[in-house]
Amino acid sequence: MKQKLSEKEASQIVTGEVTLTAVLAICAIAIVAVVVYKMFMSKEGSSTAPGGWKFSWK
């Protein structure tokens, strides 16, 4: 059953919380950014990604 909130109840609702999903997404983006940076800044190396993708550079 739905019930309308009073103005006092509505003003007590707090929004804008950071969710776990947002924190994990930011962490994943940060990790990928560091890996890509290390790859571009190294003189030579190789990397293997899932699915058989292989990269090497000199």
Side-chain angles (χ1 to χ4, degrees):
M1 182 172 147
K2 294 184 179 180
Q3 184 178 8
K4 285 190 175 186
L5 297 175
S6 68
E7 288 196 30
K8 181 180 179 184
E9 291 170 328
S11 67
Q12 292 176 346
I13 296 174
V14 178
T15 60
E17 63 187 41
V18 177
T19 63
L20 180 61
T21 305
V23 172
L24 292 177
I26 291 170
C27 288
I29 291 168
I31 291 169
V32 169
V34 168
V35 169
V36 169
Y37 175 78
K38 293 278 188 181
M39 285 176 62
F40 280 110
M41 297 307 289
S42 64
K43 299 267 185 213
E44 67 178 72
S46 64
S47 178
T48 304
W53 292 86
K54 293 183 180 183
F55 304 96
S56 61
W57 59 94
K58 293 184 180 186

